[in-house]
């Protein structure tokens, strides 16, 4: 793919690119000297880039990755950890990565984590909330929370349990061990493992295969696959897709037109399908 920087917003902590003529956006956490740990600003920038990719109707798939080959993301920047979360200088601490997790989960386009090196702590949770994970053979996965006095009892626990099963999820959280890419593949944590030098090529290939398929089918399937686990919010997302489609039908339009024309709606011509 031929990438073009989409940096009208002048990001500092991420690189935001789009593949020319391909329908793929790529968001790269750009703090390699910290193993791509995120600070609140990093997360704010990711949220803005994901928003842009969502709104851009030419984009069908989004890749999330980390700069360099040593880390996808090492979680929250511990140097900026405060009593109330993580704080940029002169700012109130927060856990805004939780907002980002929800955003990825509800975004109606597939998000693919492209993982080289460490995906640990909050960085591990980020790859788990993505729809697919393509790992390089040097990838390392794990939770560190219990070692550094933290935990993610939200998606970080519930999705993990769904992905690898309740026993393995307890092992991963309670022992806080690291797992190799091939172990992660066996556990069902990742979709495939490829040699490091083929990581992007393989990820782009997966994107292209998705992009050949119906965008509406993909959109609804994503919300359907999340619906049960996401409860009311999951149902809202799935049902929102139904409304979205209904608005494009004659039947849906008759209601609006009648209202605008100050007349009673006439739904009699629409069949009551079995
Ligand atoms: C990632 C890992 C295993 C890499 O080890 P290694 O040996 O390859 O690198 P090294 O030397 O540890 O790290 C390189 C530099 O990056 C910094 C290090 O301090 C070091 O800095 P210098 O000594 O060169 O100055 N660095 C790496 N990760 C960092 C981090 N997360 N925050 C700040 N600086 C970091 C190894 O570095 C590691 O274990 N990192 C810590 C992983 C971790 O515990 N993350 C936080 C989990 S909690 C969390 O993310 C969270 C949550 O639980 C709930 C809500 C939100 C977030």
């Amino acid at each position: 793919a031929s990438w073009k920087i989409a940096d009208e917003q002048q990001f500092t902590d991420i690189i935001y690119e789009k593949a020319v003529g391909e329908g793929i956006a790529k968001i790269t956490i750009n703090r390699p000297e910290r193993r791509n740990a995120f600070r609140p600003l990093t997360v704010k920038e990711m949220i803005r880039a994901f928003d842009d990719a969502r709104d851009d109707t030419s984009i069908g798939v989004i890749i999330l990755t980390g700069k360099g080959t040593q880390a996808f993301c090492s979680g929250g920047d511990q140097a900026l950890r405060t009593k109330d979360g993580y704080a940029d200088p002169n700012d109130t601490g927060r856990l805004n990565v939780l907002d980002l997790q929800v955003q990825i989960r509800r975004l109606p386009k597939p998000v693919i984590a492209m993982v080289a090196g460490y995906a640990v702590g909050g960085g591990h949770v980020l790859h788990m909330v993505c729809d697919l994970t393509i790992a390089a053979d040097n990838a390392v996965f794990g939770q560190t929370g219990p070692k550094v006095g933290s935990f993610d009892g939200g998606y970080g626990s519930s999705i993990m349990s769904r992905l690898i099963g309740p026993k393995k999820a307890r092992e991963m959280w309670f022992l806080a061990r690291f797992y190799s890419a091939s172990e992660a593949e066996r556990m069902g944590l990742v979709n495939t493992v490829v040699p490091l030098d083929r990581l992007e090529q393989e990820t782009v290939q997966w994107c292209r295969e998705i992009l050949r398929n119906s965008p509406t089918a993909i959109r609804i399937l994503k919300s359907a696959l999340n619906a049960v686990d996401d409860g009311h919010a999951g149902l809202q997302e799935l049902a929102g897709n139904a409304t979205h489609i209904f608005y494009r039908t004659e039947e849906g339009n008759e209601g609006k037109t009648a209202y605008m024309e100050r007349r009673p709606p006439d739904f009699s011509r629409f069949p009551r399908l079995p």
Side-chain angles (χ1 to χ4, degrees):
S2 158
W3 298 104
K4 186 170 176 298
I5 299 271
D7 195 5
E8 294 81 14
Q9 309 195 41
Q10 311 228 309
F11 297 126
T12 59
D13 285 19
I14 66 165
I15 303 166
Y16 180 43
E17 296 162 288
K18 295 177 185 174
V20 181
E22 293 249 28
I24 310 170
K26 182 167 70 167
I27 298 169
T28 306
I29 304 172
N30 189 20
R31 303 187 77 222
E33 69 291 347
R34 292 246 161 272
R35 297 292 184 270
N36 295 319
F38 52 79
R39 51 183 175 174
L41 177 66
T42 322
V43 174
K44 282 183 199 162
E45 291 188 352
M46 283 195 271
I47 288 172
R48 273 162 42 209
F50 272 111
D51 258 344
D52 178 276
R54 176 181 180 148
D55 288 345
D56 184 340
T57 54
S58 75
I59 295 297
V61 185
I62 303 153
I63 297 171
L64 177 63
T65 192
K67 177 81 176 167
T69 57
Q70 287 183 296
F72 168 76
C73 176
S74 63
D77 189 325
Q78 296 304 294
L80 299 174
R81 194 166 139 187
T82 60
K83 280 186 178 158
D84 35 18
Y86 296 84
D88 288 324
N90 307 319
D91 208 351
T92 308
R94 61 188 66 197
L95 290 171
N96 61 348
V97 75
L98 305 183
D99 300 334
L100 174 64
Q101 294 170 6
V102 172
Q103 183 186 24
I104 293 173
R105 190 84 178 168
R106 305 199 71 184
L107 205 146
K109 302 175 182 183
V111 181
I112 303 184
M114 180 169 85
V115 178
Y118 291 100
V120 301
H124 187 259
V125 178
L126 275 185
H127 104 84
M128 287 195 297
V129 298
C130 291
D131 297 292
L132 299 164
T133 299
I134 315 289
D137 51 11
N138 79 333
V140 177
F141 298 87
Q143 296 299 159
T144 63
K147 285 188 197 159
V148 295
S150 182
F151 55 89
D152 184 335
Y155 277 136
S157 296
S158 58
I159 294 186
M160 184 195 287
S161 189
R162 281 275 196 227
L163 280 174
I164 63 177
K167 294 275 186 191
K168 209 69 189 167
R170 282 164 174 74
E171 173 189 318
M172 204 165 183
W173 272 110
F174 293 174
L175 280 68
R177 284 184 186 163
F178 283 176
Y179 300 83
S180 68
S182 56
E183 285 172 311
E185 191 178 23
R186 275 199 299 280
M187 287 154 65
L189 256 186
V190 305
N191 294 86
T192 190
V193 179
V194 295
L196 178 59
D197 62 1
R198 285 209 309 112
L199 179 62
E200 182 161 305
Q201 197 187 330
E202 183 73 17
T203 308
V204 167
Q205 177 57 31
W206 283 56
C207 294
R208 287 176 180 154
E209 281 185 44
I210 293 170
L211 288 163
R212 282 203 286 270
N213 296 330
S214 150
T216 305
I218 302 291
R219 177 189 180 106
I220 293 178
L221 282 166
K222 173 164 176 171
S223 61
L225 287 161
N226 287 342
V228 169
D229 289 339
D230 288 357
H232 284 273
L235 267 184
Q236 189 208 37
E237 188 62 31
L238 182 61
N241 283 323
T243 311
H244 204 257
I245 292 172
F246 185 52
Y247 271 29
R248 284 186 254 157
T249 65
E250 255 189 80
E251 183 182 338
N253 207 35
E254 164 59 14
K256 181 208 78 175
T257 309
Y259 176 80
M260 295 307 291
E261 292 175 355
R262 313 276 190 276
R263 62 170 173 80
D266 176 11
F267 291 114
S268 62
R269 67 183 188 280
F270 301 108
R272 320 247 160 202
L273 295 171

